[in-house]
Amino acid sequence: MNPRHFISLLDLSSEELRQIINRAIELKNKRDRDYQPLKGQILAMIFEKSSTRTRISFEAGMVHFGGSALFLSPRDTQLGRGEPLQDSAKVISSMVDCIMLRTNNHDTVTTFAQYSSVPVINGLTDQLHPCQLLADMQTFFEYRGDIKGKTVAWIGDGNNMCNSYIHAAMQLDFKLHIACPPDYLPQQSYIEAGGERIQFFDTALEAAKDSSLIVTDVWTSMGQEDEQAIRELAFRDYQIDSTIMNAAQTDALFMHCLPAHRGEEVTSEVIDGPQSVVFPEAENRLHAQKALLEFLLC
Ligand code: CP
Ligand code: NVA
């Protein structure tokens, strides 16, 4: 039987996604360290890019559940010396129970999944960051209840996080307002998939109106460091400040996947202010991924 993978939020049904979110909240509230459903199981974690939250949350989650995690970097394995992905996927999956990858190219994760005999989890690619969305949605459900029918504003880069927000809007039935500089829109295939649930705005202020959640991300993602100067110019009207927050619903939340750059995509006043839930959002990576691991492996 083919293993179940988590490459995108669309790999789950809407019901399964809601089930994982609710289970994450339950696991967080119970904090039962005696519950060890993954005793003896091993997660291999392949990181082509840096990480704080993703690495620690997966590793800690596996330990909480009685298992363990292996950190593998291309620099220290044959992956970095050109061993074919399909060979690596077959070999690694013959020795572990699950594989998480953070890669430069989305195709690396999909190829790995094609040849892996165990579940493959997308820990971020240039196109998607579905694990972050599990945590973001868990956080919204905790603070405000179900997100169905609400309006979320994505302001900033039409990047991997934005694409995953489009998927979340499709799966959980919320409206997504998007305000990106014209040259930084999400790829056409994601726009088409989002259909009527997504709406584009010329300014951050217009996108924020009626929103229950304002979300942004860095202007320069990992791998785009050479574009920093040009991006700072392109995104200068897309900073989340108190004017943007005041245009949203009065009880609107602010989220950011972190790491953040205060003074660039968000002011200190907002990210460190009362509407910001960025630290519970970060902690929820742990709980949401434990619920995901349980769903995929138990
Ligand atoms: N948000 C997120 O994925 O953080 P890391 O890059 O630290 O894993
Ligand atoms: N868009 C960012 C997210 C980091 C968690 C990046 O890809 O670098």
Side-chain angles (χ1 to χ4, degrees):
M1 206 176 73
N2 286 337
R4 193 83 195 259
H5 302 301
F6 183 65
I7 311 292
S8 125
L9 289 181
L10 303 186
D11 290 329
L12 303 171
S13 69
S14 302
E15 293 70 33
E16 287 169 338
L17 178 54
R18 278 204 159 71
Q19 183 190 320
I20 290 172
I21 293 166
N22 288 323
R23 179 64 176 148
I25 295 170
E26 190 178 40
L27 286 168
K28 181 178 181 176
N29 291 337
K30 280 191 179 156
R31 293 189 190 265
D32 178 5
R33 289 294 179 90
D34 293 329
Y35 178 62
Q36 300 204 322
L38 300 185
K39 219 173 186 129
Q41 299 211 35
I42 301 168
L43 171 73
M45 307 188 297
I46 298 168
F47 283 96
E48 290 182 357
K49 298 181 182 187
S50 306
S51 170
T52 296
R53 281 145 287 269
T54 305
R55 177 178 177 181
I56 296 170
S57 53
F58 269 111
E59 192 158 341
M62 283 303 292
V63 171
H64 287 179
F65 272 174
S68 56
L70 301 173
F71 173 79
L72 305 168
S73 87
R75 213 182 46 193
D76 311 313
T77 60
Q78 300 291 5
L79 278 165
R81 296 184 59 252
E83 181 164 9
L85 286 178
Q86 48 267 57
D87 292 357
S88 303
K90 284 180 192 171
V91 170
I92 297 171
S93 66
S94 72
M95 301 180 190
V96 303
D97 303 281
C98 188
I99 304 171
M100 191 240 58
L101 295 100
R102 167 168 286 196
T103 63
N104 295 307
N105 296 316
H106 191 72
D107 289 352
T108 304
V109 174
T110 53
T111 304
F112 233 86
Q114 200 181 334
Y115 293 96
S116 169
S117 56
V118 300
V120 165
I121 296 173
N122 178 357
L124 180 146
T125 67
D126 55 336
Q127 287 193 29
L128 294 171
H129 196 4
C131 289
Q132 183 67 50
L133 260 291
L134 295 181
D136 286 22
M137 293 301 103
Q138 177 190 345
T139 311
F140 191 91
F141 277 55
E142 282 175 337
Y143 280 80
R144 297 285 182 263
D146 203 314
I147 200 163
K148 184 182 166 84
K150 306 272 191 205
T151 299
V152 175
W154 175 269
I155 295 167
D157 194 7
N159 63 10
N160 44 10
M161 278 295 298
C162 180
N163 293 337
S164 283
Y165 260 91
I166 292 174
H167 284 170
M170 293 161 64
Q171 292 287 51
L172 297 175
D173 203 10
F174 61 82
K175 276 198 263 176
L176 184 64
H177 288 181
I178 300 178
C180 305
D183 291 339
Y184 298 90
L185 294 173
Q187 282 167 30
Q188 195 58 30
S189 57
Y190 291 98
I191 296 175
E192 281 165 18
E196 289 178 358
R197 283 200 187 71
I198 60 173
Q199 201 181 343
F200 286 88
F201 292 85
D202 291 334
T203 65
L205 203 63
E206 288 171 281
K209 276 189 194 136
D210 300 324
S211 296
S212 301
L213 170 62
I214 305 285
V215 199
T216 193
D217 187 11
V218 290
W219 291 343
T220 304
S221 284
M222 288 182 277
Q224 299 171 336
E225 288 77 7
D226 292 350
E227 301 170 24
Q228 174 73 24
I230 192 168
R231 282 173 169 269
E232 272 178 33
L233 271 181
F235 287 91
R236 67 187 162 189
D237 294 331
Y238 293 82
Q239 184 187 64
I240 310 299
D241 58 14
S242 52
T243 310
I244 302 293
M245 292 308 295
N246 289 338
Q249 300 258 340
T250 46
D251 67 345
L253 300 173
F254 171 76
M255 291 192 199
H256 187 310
C257 62
L258 305 180
H261 298 83
R262 287 165 175 78
E264 285 187 30
E265 72 273 10
V266 60
T267 60
S268 303
E269 193 186 3
V270 169
I271 196 170
D272 299 317
Q275 289 169 279
S276 172
V277 288
V278 297
F279 295 113
E281 177 190 1
E283 181 193 325
N284 283 342
R285 293 294 303 278
L286 170 68
H287 310 294
Q289 287 158 201
K290 283 171 74 175
L292 174 69
L293 289 165
E294 183 186 55
F295 174 82
L296 293 174
L297 298 178
C298 293

